[in-house]
Amino acid sequence: MPDAQAPGSADLLIEHGTVITLDGARRVIEDGAVVIAGGRIVAVGSSAEITSRWRARKVINALRKAVLPGLIDCHAHAGHGLIKSMGGGDGAAWMAACETIYTTGSDAEFWYAEARLAALERLRCGTTTGVCLFGGGDNIMRVDDPVYATRHCDAISEIGTRSFLAVGPSRPPGPRTYASWSGEQRSVREVSFAQMFDCCEEIIRSQHGRAGGRVNICVALPVYHPEHTPQQLPYADVFRSQARQYRDLARRHALRFTQDGHCSGSLRWAHEEFGLLGESAFMSHSIDLTAEDIAACVATGTCIVHNPSAIMSIRGRCPVPELLDAGVTVALGSDGIAPDRSYDMFRHMFQCMHYHRRHFRDAGVLPHGKVLEMVTIDAARTLGLEHEIGSIETGKKADIILVDLFKPHLMPLNMPVYRVTAFANGADVCTTIVDGKVLMEDGKVHTVDETEVMERAQHATERMLERTGLRHLLDAPPTLWRATRF
């Protein structure tokens, strides 16, 4: 440790901020400072202490700003960024559009342009790490050719954020029809489950650990339960075979495992019938869980991802306080970014608090600090990265954001944990740092031309709409105005 006579040398010094560390003691340091060298945090403390011992090539004055660990979004969907609002409230039409676009209406440029747009939004909102299932709707994944995932990962590498891309098979029946595009020439082929598996394995081999470890792959599998998905009963043997294959794939490559859409009884079933639960598993939505579901999570160390702004959280409730009281790690996810959500994790923290307080008719449920843990240190634990990110502590990777507190809606300058969880939004993030690299400073993104990213995303959307014939889903429904329901 450098002494007072010989100041240490660092790459970056953040000083005079309100540092909300999320460390073991949950310290909040007024007039605090953070020192970064080699992409990692090397010192945290008061500004007076730190500045007397360290010098840095770059200094950021964080006066009147909160300094936080980068936020983590543990469940979202690649592709969704270019299909927001389609169908205008018609959920069935939107789901059908997902299937069409993700299998036959998208090219590699679509996935690249969408990933850049999504990562840019996350960067601007202070979400430094995100999970994206490689597709959506009813588990329709773009796993016919590794090129699509490669282009997604190219985009993440370029923007500079940290990401987990979840790959796995599309939901049965199979084979599935996929189409590739060369200019306006469309080539169609049938893709079997065996080919999907080979594609997923190639994506893991070629993409996992890219960009100095910022780009990672995890394994996903559609949820199956005989009561909740009775139409899938004829494929019970397929699900059983896939559970074994993809569980083994995840273990062989030491990857996290996830599923999208658990509900009452399905977690117990996944554990007892398929052996899918475990310390490397994180399961999303998880609404209306039974006591047996919760017990299975406790027994196996399985983590839960709660998506308070999602449609499934309208249809049922993830019992977050009950899970936490039982000792289960719960993280938050955006379920972004379509049909009607965002990557703004401040929004989802606020939604989470009020959602469960309304359920219990108790304003004391889910304190502000707890929900902040759910998008930082608890989310890092969900991804197996609690020793690397999720808090501002010496030795951890420098994923850090600054939130400008000197704004009318965030004044007065007191009670900073309450300010950032109840009053702040993604637009209040002014600086975003990942791996010690300043990606955005004072609202200016350094890694890409934002205008070019947005224009390219618009162009990719227009091409997709022409190819799929789905432009009519952008029309406003007749019930948009003067009606109580879509």
Side-chain angles (χ1 to χ4, degrees):
M1 179 64 66
D3 56 37
Q5 286 72 42
S9 177
D11 300 321
L12 178 63
L13 168 63
I14 303 169
E15 62 181 4
H16 301 308
T18 299
V19 183
I20 304 174
T21 65
L22 273 296
D23 65 6
R26 300 300 190 263
R27 291 182 299 160
V28 177
I29 307 172
E30 300 288 349
D31 194 8
V34 181
V35 183
I36 298 165
R40 291 188 179 267
I41 299 165
V42 296
V44 183
S46 70
S47 290
E49 171 200 2
I50 294 297
T51 56
S52 70
R53 296 192 296 114
W54 291 91
R55 299 290 180 269
R57 286 192 291 273
K58 180 178 177 62
V59 177
I60 294 177
N61 186 347
L63 182 66
R64 295 173 173 168
K65 296 177 176 65
V67 182
L68 295 157
L71 306 185
I72 302 171
D73 176 1
C74 281
H75 180 79
H77 295 267
H80 279 19
L82 303 188
I83 62 170
K84 293 191 288 264
S85 305
M86 288 183 69
D90 185 339
W94 180 79
M95 292 277 279
C98 280
E99 179 169 354
T100 298
I101 294 164
Y102 293 169
T103 56
T104 61
S106 55
D107 57 13
E109 170 64 16
F110 173 95
W111 294 99
Y112 173 71
E114 191 279 338
R116 287 209 307 167
L117 183 70
L120 178 60
E121 179 181 347
R122 278 177 161 160
L123 185 162
R124 279 205 156 276
C125 290
T127 302
T128 55
T129 300
V131 176
C132 278
L133 274 70
F134 199 45
D138 189 18
N139 288 274
I140 305 300
M141 311 288 266
R142 189 77 215 225
V143 288
D144 55 311
D145 188 314
V147 65
Y148 306 104
T150 298
R151 291 301 281 153
H152 173 96
C153 294
D154 288 345
I156 301 301
S157 179
E158 177 185 338
I159 298 292
T161 51
R162 197 179 303 282
S163 182
F164 283 76
L165 182 65
V167 296
S170 289
R171 182 178 289 280
R176 284 243 175 217
T177 301
Y178 286 88
S180 59
W181 294 83
S182 177
E184 295 310 308
Q185 290 297 116
R186 182 175 184 260
S187 300
V188 176
R189 69 183 182 122
E190 300 297 307
V191 178
S192 69
F193 289 126
Q195 290 170 310
M196 293 181 197
F197 182 87
D198 290 343
C199 179
C200 291
E201 192 159 34
E202 176 56 31
I203 292 168
I204 292 167
R205 282 196 295 262
S206 63
Q207 304 303 313
H208 184 59
R210 274 187 65 180
R214 287 189 294 102
V215 174
N216 294 282
I217 306 298
C218 56
V219 174
L221 195 66
V223 172
Y224 169 77
H225 189 280
E227 293 180 12
H228 301 314
T229 53
Q231 71 278 12
Q232 300 272 275
L233 280 172
Y235 311 105
D237 289 342
V238 173
F239 281 104
R240 191 171 300 278
S241 173
Q242 289 185 347
R244 182 179 64 255
Q245 282 184 295
Y246 284 89
R247 177 194 62 205
D248 292 347
L249 180 65
R251 290 173 180 171
R252 188 163 66 252
H253 292 277
L255 305 180
R256 310 305 278 186
F257 178 88
T258 189
Q259 289 188 292
D260 177 16
H262 275 286
C263 57
S264 54
S266 66
L267 282 168
R268 180 194 62 80
W269 179 274
H271 176 48
E272 294 180 358
E273 298 294 326
F274 294 157
L276 296 177
L277 273 57
E279 292 183 355
S280 63
F282 59 102
M283 305 303 203
S284 74
H285 294 297
S286 303
I287 60 172
D288 300 333
L289 298 185
T290 65
E292 292 77 14
D293 288 326
I294 296 175
C297 291
V298 173
T300 60
T302 299
C303 298
I304 296 298
V305 180
H306 173 41
N307 304 284
S309 305
I311 291 172
M312 279 195 76
S313 287
I314 296 171
R315 295 171 178 163
R317 184 183 73 93
C318 178
V320 170
E322 297 94 319
L323 285 160
L324 293 171
D325 289 342
V328 177
T329 297
V330 181
L332 291 187
S334 65
D335 197 31
I337 186 173
D340 58 2
R341 295 176 277 282
S342 78
Y343 286 130
D344 182 348
M345 297 308 294
F346 296 94
R347 165 182 173 176
H348 304 302
M349 281 191 282
F350 185 84
Q351 177 85 339
C352 177
M353 288 186 288
H354 286 264
Y355 181 97
H356 296 283
R357 291 171 184 177
R358 173 64 180 83
H359 173 79
F360 287 102
R361 313 296 202 272
D362 181 353
V365 170
L366 288 180
H368 297 72
K370 182 67 247 179
V371 295
L372 186 55
E373 291 169 357
M374 292 166 71
V375 296
T376 53
I377 190 62
D378 290 350
R381 185 172 296 111
T382 298
L383 300 179
L385 292 178
E386 68 272 27
H387 301 300
E388 294 279 31
I389 61 174
S391 62
I392 298 177
E393 297 184 75
T394 300
K396 286 196 171 182
K397 291 179 181 293
D399 288 11
I400 295 172
I401 63 172
L402 274 61
V403 177
D404 186 355
L405 299 176
F406 198 59
K407 292 186 174 183
H409 64 286
L410 293 172
M411 293 291 288
L413 294 172
N414 55 38
M415 303 181 74
V417 174
Y418 292 79
R419 291 291 176 272
V420 298
T421 53
F423 299 97
N425 61 66
D428 298 318
V429 175
C430 56
T431 298
T432 300
I433 301 164
V434 176
D435 266 352
K437 181 178 180 181
V438 180
L439 306 183
M440 178 177 75
E441 186 174 6
D442 293 331
K444 173 65 175 177
V445 174
H446 294 323
T447 54
V448 290
D449 180 337
E450 293 185 77
T451 298
E452 188 270 337
V453 169
M454 291 186 286
E455 288 178 343
R456 194 160 178 172
Q458 183 65 36
H459 180 67
T461 303
E462 294 299 323
R463 293 189 75 184
M464 173 272 292
L465 291 170
E466 291 303 315
R467 288 169 171 174
T468 59
L470 293 175
R471 191 174 293 277
H472 64 282
L473 293 181
L474 306 184
D475 297 337
T479 52
L480 180 63
W481 307 100
R482 298 186 179 88
T484 58
R485 288 173 176 80
F486 274 114

